[in-house]
Amino acid sequence: METSQVLIASPIGVLAVLCTVAAFFFLLAQVTDSKLFKFLPPLLFIYATPVFLSNLAVGGPTLIPNKSIIYTGLSQYALPVFIVLMLIKVNVPAIVKVMGKGVLVMLMGTAGVMVGGVVSYIIVHGWLPEDSWKGVGTLAGSWIGGTANMLAAKEILGASETQFTLAIVADNVIYIVWLPLLLMSRDYADKFNKWARVPADRLAAMDAAAEMHAEEDHAPTMQQYLYLAAVVIGVAAAGHGVAPPIAGWIASVSPDLANIFSETTTRILFVTTIALILSTTPISRLPSSTAIGTALVYVFVAGMGARAEISGLGNAPIFVLGAFIWIFIHGLFMLAGAWLFRVDVHSVAIASAANIGAAASAPIVAAHHRPNLVPASILLALLGYALGNYLAPLTGHLARIAAVSYTHLRAHETLRSISYAVFCLKT
């Protein structure tokens, strides 16, 4: 889009608009305390508003452009930064201590997301564009980890803005349906726990462990901000430095993997791995990293909305249908995990929210079911963040491979049927 067709074209002006949009909807949710934002989270409005600001021109120019150096900068530089900020707080021992086998149920739910993504794509891919498996991988990022993983998966898979928009739409439609179900499940706790054969002492042991867990985050000092900046920017810079030679080496060793392990993929996986290693060190005690990382995520989401393409939204109904099939399979896996590991409905609901809704929804579900599990629910969501950057792109590629295999199988069966019919006619 030409500069003359845009009211705000300067990079700093565009960034100011994105930050303002992100801040406005959180302020609106806080001031009004409207129930609307419990079922339509601010994320949806933060994404949708820049879509209109960059595409809608009523009698003149749009407010901001579809293309800007700010959008490119957010992808290249902000993405690895907020990945590190989110992941250095992962505390696996604390999660296991409080949630116990609830962690295994969450991992079952994660497996359900992966299997559900592949199965649902096989069912609906015939009505979708050929590259829609990238949208599946992008949505898997949100449902395994959270918005940060969704953005990372989008960059890793090279999903188009149209596919990202479809993933956003499906994510929010399912959220509107799934969150109330998780909240309502508390009313059936006794029946569910009896069905799942939950040990009588599980809830008491979980409550005792939750009481022992102390929140370590505290008001940061100026020095701690500097330490955090040095670590986070240092890891991001290291990722930018090592990604090109590693990606080049992989391409030289195995050309078939070159399309999978691009520089972007290598950079994100490298940064993710280093951040998880750092989470086991005293660096994890630096305060405010999660809050800063989350703030960057929402600015990034606003930037994704600004460069969105709305021409492909005609495929939204089919993609959403696939998402409903997908979430049903995830639910079956959650139930199977609850029965296998004899886990209560409260842990199951929190574990599912940690997958599907991430850190934004897991505390809501925990506060409704058992308020003393709110800190553990956040940690459980962070575990999803740790897994998402690895498993979401894998889900997308598995969906692609499965769809191609299914298509070839159907073609082979059709050819065999035709051959058999011709043979019968001749005889």
Side-chain angles (χ1 to χ4, degrees), residues 114-137 319 394-413:
M114 297 182 69
V115 173
V118 173
V119 172
S120 64
Y121 185 63
I122 290 175
I123 294 172
V124 303
H125 80 279
W127 295 278
L128 293 171
E130 189 175 346
D131 66 340
S132 295
W133 61 271
K134 297 179 181 180
V136 169
F319 198 92
L394 177 60
T395 302
H397 283 292
L398 289 176
R400 171 180 58 83
I401 294 170
V404 171
S405 300
Y406 177 77
T407 301
H408 288 168
L409 179 63
R410 288 290 301 273
H412 177 72
E413 290 179 349

Side-chain angles (χ1 to χ4, degrees), residues 69-117:
I69 191 175
I70 287 297
Y71 310 148
T72 305
L74 286 172
S75 296
Q76 292 184 350
Y77 305 112
L79 179 60
V81 166
F82 67 64
I83 286 174
V84 179
L85 286 167
M86 301 293 282
L87 293 183
I88 60 175
K89 282 292 186 181
V90 175
N91 188 339
V92 176
I95 304 170
V96 175
K97 183 178 180 181
V98 178
M99 298 300 296
K101 292 182 179 179
V103 176
L104 298 178
V105 176
M106 179 188 170
L107 295 178
M108 281 286 290
T110 299
V113 171
M114 297 182 69
V115 173

Side-chain angles (χ1 to χ4, degrees), residues 43-70:
L43 173 69
L44 177 61
F45 298 98
I46 291 171
Y47 178 79
T49 300
V51 173
F52 290 103
L53 296 182
S54 63
N55 286 278
L56 188 61
V58 181
T62 61
L63 183 66
I64 55 177
N66 280 115
K67 297 180 180 180
S68 171
I69 191 175
I70 287 297

Side-chain angles (χ1 to χ4, degrees), residues 376-397:
S377 71
I378 297 172
L379 291 173
L380 202 62
L382 289 177
L383 178 60
Y385 279 130
L387 297 172
N389 288 356
Y390 302 105
L391 299 182
L394 177 60
T395 302
H397 283 292

